[in-house]
Each structure stands twice: as structure tokens, then as C-alpha cells.
């Protein structure tokens, strides 16, 4: 018999609600969030569908989706939801779960960008763009995009070649460590 | 007026012109900016999508330093502004979060330092009369689209100093300069923000949509208050029009650059040469 979607498996729903602090179960599928979402045309599941899949317990489908890596965190959905659901916060939690469970969509370039960005902050206390781009390019293997912009950016002094270290760079590394430990306790 | 200034990482590279023009404008308006000593990154979008504890702790490090200075913070980056405000809100709303942040940053912080975007400081705290006294060059005839993007007005409970769907603070600033702010429907639509590097195709589509509406509404340039909006509309403009259809070149100015011009500050002090799409043809007409 074909598998039918039921709400029997509420494990995913409770985990997402606990970690995001928002009530996904209140969603009544009005689609207002998806209507205003700038990246809805690029997503495999629009935000309202993501909410529905959480309620239906479709963990694998969601954590492997492209949608969670295309969300630009613009907060339009959260601002407009008539049921006061923090959809942007839910997207954050789904991304973290996908990484923790090592099932994230392999082609998620924004995931590599986030990693490169945070590595740069961890080392310097501030973002060092040229260094961050090098890490991003190595991780994503996306070597050519934007290389044509480099000469122009250099001539406009928009790409610093040397990092600016924050005076508290050492302290920042400890903060990263402690934040990672605290996060595991949640 | 005295503020602890949080520049943010972009101001040291892609947005050095925002840094320069913000400092020049504040000097002219007698707003004293004191850089937060040893400031560090706010974590921006990558932190809040990766680790909730880090996303609050990184801004809190800077907030705590401003608390030691005994001053409110001002910043010119919409993303830094949002992250600092959201961290304050989380710390204020929950004892658990406040204690966790204290453990991570190794110092107590009570969530009480005020954070204002410089737009808010100039328009609402200083006020139009104080600015009007200092305007030396009216930018009459210039038609401007004010673009807020996503993070300046959202999420509203944490950041909004204005109506989240229909803000008007930038229009008030444009009015001070003598230029005309046109009405247009996409002023709080997102440009793709932090997808800029990883998904530049998506950003190109969104930027083109915004720029074509700017032109249809009759504006000749855009004013922004966020380094990411500026990069996505300016640096990516040529790619966007090549991929999605030709449009007249549209200069993307920071609000501080526009105001600086009206205050009669020399162009070198405003970093106008950093714009990818030059504003020179536009400025020669006012
Ligand atoms: S706007 Fe809110 S209630 Fe409506 S579909 Fe989206 S999440 Fe559900
Ligand atoms: S926050 Fe993400 S899901 Fe919500 S509207 Fe913006 S891009 Fe779409």
C-alpha cells in the first residue's frame, strides 16, 4: 500500500518547536509567507510547504532540501505571518539540524560560504574578505564565479589584501569554543 | 551628541566609502563618534544560521564594551544593526540567555545598551531643522529611490524604528537634501543579501527586478543604508543587466554620501570614486 502522510510522527515538530521557540503547529497554510518570499521561485519547497512538511514529520525530505540553503534570512515571512510563526528562525534550526546530522544537500554553496565566513572571524576576530573568499572557493570548488570582479574591486580599494585583526582575536577564539560547547547543551 | 561607533567588517573593505562618508557627515553635523576599542565581528547572517549561542555572544562582546564606555551605540550597517538589536532582545527576554552569554563572553552583560542606526540618529534624534541649517547645496531636481532592503526594518519587534512595511525615515533624509524621493513599491524587498557570493545568480535576478522598478518609477539613482544592498545593486548591476535585460546605469549611493553632498563636503571626503556605477553624470546635472 502507498505510504500516506499522517501527523503520527511529531518528533520533528517537537524538536523544531523547542529549538526555534516558535509554534509551527499554528500554521494554517495561508501561504502569505511564500507569496512574499524573494527566493520562492528558486526553492524546491516554499516556506509554507516547509511548515507543512515539519508538521507531517518529513525530516529527511526537509534536511536534504535545497530550500533551507536558499533562504536569505530576509525576515519577510516572519514579519508577515498572521499566526506569529518565526519562519526565519525555523529555517535556521533546519540548517543546523542538517549539518549536525550530516545530511545537508551536497551542492549547498551558502553552507560553504557560512563556514568560510565564520572561519575568518574565528581567526581574525573580523572578516577578512580576500582570505574568506579563498577558503570559500576551495570548499565550494566554485573557482570562477566573480574572479572577473577582482581587478575592479582592487582598483576601487574594495578588497583589502591584508587582514585587519581585532585586538581581541585571541578572546574570540575562546568565545567560539565556549559557544560550541553551550550549543551542544541546548 | 556622542556615540560609541561600531563600524563592522564591511567598512574596512567593500564599504570603505560608507565609513569615510559617515565619519565626514558626523563631523559636519557635530555628532561625535568614538570607535569601540577592539570591536569584533557581529557574526552577521552566517552566525545565526549556524549556532544560536554564537549569534548572540558575538554582538554581546561589543555591546558589553559599549556598556563600559557608558554610551549608546550607533552603526551604519543594517546587518550589524539588526544583529546587535536582536542580541539585546534575546538577552532582555530570557534570564537563561543572559546567563549563557555571560558564560561565553566571560563577563556579565545586562542587555541595556541602546543601539541606533545612524539614519535614526540623524533624522529622529538630530532632526531636520538642525540639518537644514548646515545644508549648503540643495540637490534639487535629483530623483531618488530610497531602498531599505530587509534588515533595517525586520524583524520589527527587535529593530524597527519605523513602519516595517512602509518606512519613511530615508525619505525624510532625502527631503533634507532638497532631492525628490519618489514612491516605489519594492523598498523593503530583499536583494538576496548574504547569498551574494554563494548564489550570485539569484542575487542578479532580484537586483534586476529592483532596478527595473526603480527606473519604471522614474528615479535616476538609489539611496541605501546597508553595505550588502550596495554591493548587490552596484557591483552586480552589470551582470544583472547582461543576464536579465538592459537598463540605464543607476548609481547606488549611501545615505551618507547623498547627505554629504548636500552639506557641501568635497567628493573626496565621501569616497564617491569607489562606486562601480559612477555618479558623476548624475551630479553634473544638479
Ligand atoms: S504565513 Fe504563517 S500561517 Fe501562513 S502559511 Fe506561512 S507559516 Fe503558515
Ligand atoms: S526569510 Fe527566507 S523563507 Fe522567509 S521570506 Fe526571506 S528568504 Fe523566504
Amino acid at each position: 500500500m502507498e505510504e500516506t502522510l499522517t501527523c503520527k510522527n511529531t518528533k520533528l515538530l517537537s524538536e523544531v518547536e523547542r529549538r526555534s521557540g516558535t509554534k509551527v503547529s499554528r500554521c494554517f497554510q495561508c501561504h502569505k509567507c511564500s507569496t512574499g518570499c524573494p527566493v520562492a521561485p528558486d526553492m524546491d519547497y516554499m516556506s509554507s510547504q516547509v511548515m507543512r512538511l515539519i508538521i507531517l514529520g518529513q525530516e529527511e525530505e526537509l534536511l536534504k532540501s535545497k530550500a533551507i540553503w536558499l533562504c536569505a534570512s530576509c525576515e519577510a515571512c516572519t514579519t508577515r505571518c498572521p499566526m506569529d510563526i518565526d519562519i526565519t528562525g525555523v529555517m535556521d534550526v533546519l540548517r543546523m539540524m542538517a549539518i549536525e546530522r550530516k545530511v545537508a544537500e551536497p551542492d549547498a554553496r551558502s553552507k560553504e560560504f557560512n563556514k568560510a565566513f565564520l572561519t575568518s572571524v574565528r581567526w581574525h576576530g573580523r572578516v577578512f574578505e580576500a582570505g574568506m573568499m579563498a577558503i570559500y572557493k576551495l570548499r565550494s570548488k566554485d573557482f570562477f564565479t566573480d574572479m572577473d570582479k577582482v581587478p575592479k574591486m582592487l582598483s576601487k580599494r574594495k578588497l583589502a589584501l591584508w587582514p585587519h585583526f581585532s585586538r581581541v582575536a585571541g578572546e574570540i577564539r575562546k568565545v567560539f569554543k565556549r559557544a560550541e560547547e553551550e550549543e551542544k547543551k541546548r | 551628541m556622542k556615540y560609541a561607533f561600531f563600524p563592522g567588517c564591511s567598512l574596512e573593505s567593500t564599504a570603505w566609502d560608507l565609513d569615510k562618508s559617515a565619519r565626514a557627515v558626523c563631523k559636519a553635523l557635530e555628532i561625535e563618534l568614538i570607535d569601540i576599542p577592539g570591536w569584533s565581528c557581529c557574526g552577521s547572517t552566517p552566525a545565526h544560521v549556524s549556532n544560536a549561542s554564537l549569534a548572540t555572544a558575538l554582538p554581546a562582546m561589543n555591546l558589553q564594551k559599549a556598556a563600559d564606555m557608558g554610551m549608546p551605540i550607533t552603526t551604519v550597517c543594517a546587518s550589524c544593526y539588526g544583529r546587535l538589536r536582536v542580541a539585546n532582545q534575546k538577552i532582555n527576554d530570557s534570564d537563561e540567555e543572559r546567563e549563557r552569554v555571560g558564560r561565553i563572553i566571560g563577563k556579565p552583560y545586562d542587555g541595556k545598551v541602546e543601539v541606533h542606526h545612524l539614519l535614526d540618529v540623524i533624522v529622529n534624534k538630530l532632526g531636520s531643522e538642525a540639518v537644514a541649517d548646515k545644508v549648503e547645496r540643495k540637490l534639487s531636481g535629483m530623483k531618488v529611490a530610497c531602498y531599505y532592503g530587509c534588515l533595517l526594518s525586520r524583524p520589527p519587534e527587535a529593530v524597527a524604528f519605523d513602519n516595517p512595511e512602509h518606512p519613511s525615515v530615508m525619505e525624510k533624509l532625502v527631503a533634507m537634501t532638497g532631492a525628490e524621493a519618489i514612491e516605489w513599491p519594492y523598498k523593503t524587498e530583499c536583494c538576496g543579501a548574504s547569498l551574494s557570493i554563494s548564489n550570485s545568480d539569484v542575487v542578479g535576478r532580484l537586483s534586476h527586478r529592483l532596478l527595473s522598478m526603480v527606473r519604471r518609477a522614474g528615479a535616476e539613482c538609489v539611496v541605501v543604508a546597508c553595505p550588502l544592498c550596495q554591493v548587490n545593486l552596484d557591483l552586480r548591476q552589470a551582470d544583472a543587466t547582461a543576464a536579465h535585460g538592459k537598463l540605464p546605469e543607476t548609481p547606488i549611493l549611501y545615505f551618507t554620501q547623498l547627505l554629504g553632498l548636500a552639506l557641501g563636503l568635497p567628493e573626496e571626503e565621501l569616497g564617491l570614486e569607489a562606486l562601480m556605477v559612477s555618479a558623476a553624470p548624475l551630479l553634473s546635472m544638479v
Side-chain angles (χ1 to χ4, degrees):
Chain A
M1 221 175 73
E2 240 182 85
E3 195 195 345
T4 47
L5 297 180
T6 63
C7 300
K8 274 191 205 133
N9 179 4
T10 55
K11 207 176 103 254
L12 177 66
L13 179 65
S14 5
E15 180 172 359
V16 171
E17 291 197 337
R18 179 178 55 79
R19 292 180 62 169
S20 66
T22 195
K23 279 265 169 239
V24 176
S25 44
R26 282 201 294 237
C27 173
F28 58 8
Q29 290 293 298
C30 69
H31 305 298
K32 196 175 177 191
C33 51
S34 303
T35 317
C37 174
V39 292
D42 308 284
M43 284 173 157
D44 42 3
Y45 296 111
M46 298 185 294
S47 51
S48 50
Q49 294 173 308
V50 169
M51 298 306 118
R52 193 73 194 135
L53 287 169
I54 293 171
I55 294 170
L56 293 170
Q58 297 298 300
E59 178 173 326
E60 201 185 325
E61 203 64 28
L62 272 175
L63 299 190
K64 287 187 173 164
S65 71
K66 290 193 191 336
I68 57 177
W69 301 107
L70 280 167
C71 165
S73 304
C74 78
E75 306 262 3
C77 48
T78 297
T79 306
R80 293 170 189 165
C81 174
M83 300 309 283
D84 226 3
I85 301 171
D86 177 11
I87 302 143
T88 317
V90 169
M91 292 291 194
D92 285 352
V93 168
L94 292 173
R95 283 183 279 241
M96 291 177 213
M97 288 170 68
I99 291 180
E100 288 160 15
R101 281 156 220 192
K102 303 192 169 51
V103 293
E105 140 78 22
D107 188 35
R109 277 174 291 153
S110 66
K111 176 168 78 84
E112 304 308 336
F113 170 75
N114 294 335
K115 251 210 129 126
F117 184 103
L118 292 177
T119 306
S120 188
V121 177
R122 190 182 204 126
W123 286 351
H124 310 295
R126 294 182 191 166
V127 173
F128 165 47
E129 263 142 0
M132 171 188 78
M133 283 304 284
I135 303 172
Y136 167 72
K137 298 252 163 235
L138 286 172
R139 293 188 59 100
S140 66
K141 310 210 168 43
D142 168 21
F143 294 112
F144 299 110
T145 315
D146 285 340
M147 289 319 277
D148 57 324
K149 312 268 180 325
V150 170
K152 193 130 198 221
M153 289 185 78
L154 286 174
S155 76
K156 301 260 180 195
R157 289 186 284 135
K158 289 204 164 225
L159 199 61
L161 283 181
W162 305 107
H164 296 265
F165 279 93
S166 166
R167 232 190 280 159
V168 295
E171 206 181 310
I172 289 273
R173 273 169 233 152
K174 286 188 210 141
V175 164
F176 265 79
K177 247 185 129 176
R178 288 191 218 119
E180 280 157 8
E181 280 154 21
E182 290 287 342
E183 198 61 11
K184 279 189 214 135
K185 289 194 232 156
R186 286 203 193 222
Chain B
M1 270 195 205
K2 220 177 192 178
Y3 285 89
F5 187 48
F6 182 76
C9 307
S10 302
L11 268 70
E12 292 186 327
S13 59
T14 53
W16 67 264
D17 45 342
L18 173 56
D19 186 75
K20 196 165 182 185
S21 55
R23 290 177 196 276
V25 161
C26 284
K27 196 166 162 216
L29 295 175
E30 290 161 48
I31 300 170
E32 195 180 339
L33 300 181
I34 302 167
D35 284 23
I36 298 176
W39 64 269
S40 50
C41 176
C42 71
S44 193
T45 305
H48 81 75
V49 303
S50 311
N51 178 329
S53 307
L54 189 66
T56 311
L58 288 176
M61 284 183 79
N62 297 289
L63 290 161
Q64 193 278 327
K65 290 195 177 81
D68 283 350
M69 294 165 80
M71 271 176 228
I73 290 185
T74 190
T75 177
V76 283
C77 168
S79 181
C80 298
Y81 169 71
R83 295 330 302 167
L84 292 168
R85 296 277 292 218
V86 169
N88 259 347
Q89 187 196 32
K90 294 220 152 111
I91 292 166
N92 276 312
D93 284 358
S94 136
D95 295 341
E96 196 191 330
E97 191 71 43
R98 186 169 53 248
E99 284 157 20
R100 180 173 21 241
V101 164
R103 284 196 298 276
I104 299 176
I105 69 172
K107 280 176 202 140
Y109 170 62
D110 62 3
K112 296 288 182 276
V113 170
E114 280 182 39
V115 181
H116 302 285
H117 194 284
L118 186 62
L119 252 180
D120 184 25
V121 172
I122 294 174
V123 175
N124 298 322
K125 309 254 175 309
L126 199 62
S128 52
E129 276 170 35
V131 179
D133 283 347
K134 303 218 158 77
V135 167
E136 287 187 3
R137 175 186 178 197
K138 284 265 179 200
L139 305 174
S140 317
M142 196 196 267
K143 287 190 163 58
V144 181
C146 297
Y147 177 53
Y148 297 80
C150 48
L151 298 174
L152 202 54
S153 55
R154 295 195 292 260
E157 304 73 36
V159 307
F161 51 89
D162 204 344
N163 181 322
E165 296 287 2
H166 189 63
S168 58
V169 61
M170 243 193 280
E171 278 81 355
K172 288 181 192 142
L173 182 121
V174 169
M176 293 172 183
T177 68
E180 181 193 348
I182 53 102
E183 272 303 329
W184 71 302
Y186 291 169
K187 57 186 181 184
T188 60
E189 290 285 301
C190 178
C191 64
S194 62
L195 297 177
S196 186
I197 289 170
S198 57
N199 302 76
S200 47
D201 48 339
V202 174
V203 170
R205 177 175 66 74
L206 295 173
S207 298
H208 188 268
R209 191 165 160 261
L210 289 165
L211 290 166
S212 47
M213 187 53 87
V214 163
R215 285 296 174 171
R216 265 174 66 189
E220 340 164 84
C221 67
V222 180
V223 184
V224 295
C226 168
L228 260 177
C229 295
Q230 208 280 341
V231 165
N232 284 345
L233 293 177
D234 183 37
L235 178 67
R236 303 217 168 273
Q237 190 170 132
D239 285 353
T241 51
H244 301 281
K246 221 172 143 39
L247 286 171
E249 287 202 325
T250 308
I252 316 293
L253 297 155
Y254 286 114
F255 71 104
T256 44
Q257 292 175 317
L258 190 84
L259 184 57
L261 287 167
L263 295 173
L265 300 177
E267 290 189 13
E268 318 74 86
E269 276 187 41
L270 302 173
L272 286 175
E273 75 270 24
L275 301 178
M276 294 287 165
V277 176
S278 166
L282 178 72
L283 296 177
S284 66
M285 293 187 325
V286 291

